[in-house]
Amino acid sequence: MLKQYSLLPFLLFMVLSTMGQTTLTLQPNGNLGKDAFISSNVPTNGQGNSSEFDAGAWTISGSPLTIRSLIDFDLSSLPVGAVIQSAILTLYNNPNAQNGYANGQHSHVSGSNEAVLQRITSPWTEDVAWNNQPTTTSQNEVTLAQDTDPYQDYVLDVTNLLDDIIANPSNSYGFLLKLKTEAPYRLLAFASSDHPNAALHPKLEITYSIVCNMLTLQPDASSGKDAFISNNVPNDSQGTSSEFDAGAWTISGSPLTIRSLIDFDLSSLPVGAAIQSAVLTLYNNPNAQNGFANGQHSHATGSNSAFLQRITSPWTENVTWNDQPSTTSLNQVVLPENTDPFQDYQLDVKQLIQDIRSNPTEGFGLMLKLETEDPYRILVFASSDNPTISLHPKLDICYTNLLTTNTSILQNNTVYVFPNPSSGSINIELKNLNTNISSNNSFVIVDATGKKVFEDYYFSKSSLFYDISTLQNGIYYWILTTESISNNGKLILTK
């Protein structure tokens, strides 16, 4: 193999792909959920801790009151670029309503208790009261028909409402439930996220798929970078071996240990690409030239389970056992003991590829080695130098290009970049993240051609400041990636 490599002439495909459907279920409790009950008889009182989630109109001592409820689900776990196939909201009747309206039963004694679920278009908190309730829109509102059972649960198709929320993040803050005709004595009585029975909490089930670009990397001998190392020849390089093995064997009774290294060229992934999946396929080499186990995997003396680990220091194809690079077990992938002597392996390496992208100074490909390096155990695969091209290691990456994806899907209230336009400096505030800020983060600025002009990979704070005064005036794009979000936006520089 050559020590340096480029995108061509190795096998590279970029196609549009739709991943399989996934269902995300959100049913938060009182600590994690955000819902509230408001009523006109206590117009300045917040009732965010109520176990009721009602829409109705009633009277107290002859005085009329109107009841509405609000809810906002945390959608941060929905992947960037997700295409919503369906969204189902289930509201469960509360048969033991503490507020006492109709003794937990829905009511339509004076007329229809038909209700509507509308998108909320202005911010609110759980301290919300009747007098400061947020605005709503009737666009794509969902109708709840009059109940047919006094303890009826409702299953609602809110797909269009959720699409609206994703497409309009700057003016979407959940749902409001209210009667169509707010006249006594009509009521729909449901349980809130604060209800003591967790099974009755409002539940949102989102089925989605990811439409992404598929990048396939399967380099050949002239463009790939992989190597085979063994401790029986500790100073010899074997970068042109057709083997990609992990094992332990003997030669004339002397033990040896075998490991392999590979580094895929990821430069064809766009800056800021959000990786949705990454699958590495290692193909068994049935005609192993090195002769270990005659091309078969072996676990004659114990398990041949192996680790695939991120390489954290530089190496070339001249690498030897004595100067092999360092690795980390962080997010390592386990290859289980083989079940067939000529078994191929498909491995989910999404997190490893993300780690390589997020830590460019500590991301130099992958090393394969046995979990227990005792003879006679081995996994026998083909390298990029194998004469059979179809057996070369293959990496399939499905990604969303954030700079070309509809920006209305990506903008949300988790990232604030200001001022914009900027006169030479910017502040970044990260809000509402569900995971801790860590060093596995990146902030990148690219120009209009996609060229990277600024980068920071090691921040671990939620408030950041950057001096970008060295950049020329113009339009740029920023891309921020953390463990829980991936976002981008336009930045205008005017000095």
Side-chain angles (χ1 to χ4, degrees), residues 206-225:
I206 306 170
T207 300
Y208 65 89
S209 59
I210 298 293
V211 177
C212 60
N213 300 292
M214 182 63 73
L215 171 66
T216 296
L217 304 174
Q218 194 173 22
D220 59 16
S222 65
S223 56
K225 180 185 178 184

Side-chain angles (χ1 to χ4, degrees), residues 174-196:
F175 309 122
L176 182 139
L177 180 67
K178 65 179 181 180
L179 290 183
K180 272 193 174 181
T181 302
E182 294 177 314
Y185 295 89
R186 315 171 190 212
L187 182 75
L188 289 175
F190 301 110
S192 78
S193 300
D194 295 275
H195 195 278

Side-chain angles (χ1 to χ4, degrees), residues 248-325:
W249 215 256
T250 61
I251 294 182
S252 301
S254 298
L256 70 131
T257 304
I258 306 156
R259 298 174 181 174
S260 295
L261 304 82
I262 192 166
D263 191 9
F264 289 93
D265 182 355
L266 302 178
S267 62
S268 52
L269 271 178
V271 173
I275 297 174
Q276 307 298 341
S277 70
V279 176
L280 173 64
T281 303
L282 296 177
Y283 296 96
N284 171 255
N285 179 10
N287 301 305
Q289 296 179 12
N290 284 314
F292 299 117
N294 299 313
Q296 300 182 46
H297 307 306
S298 174
H299 49 265
T301 62
S303 174
N304 61 353
S305 63
F307 293 131
L308 194 68
Q309 298 180 335
R310 174 165 55 95
I311 298 174
T312 56
S313 60
W315 60 283
T316 69
E317 285 198 328
N318 290 326
V319 64
T320 69
W321 182 271
N322 280 350
D323 65 359
Q324 62 184 289

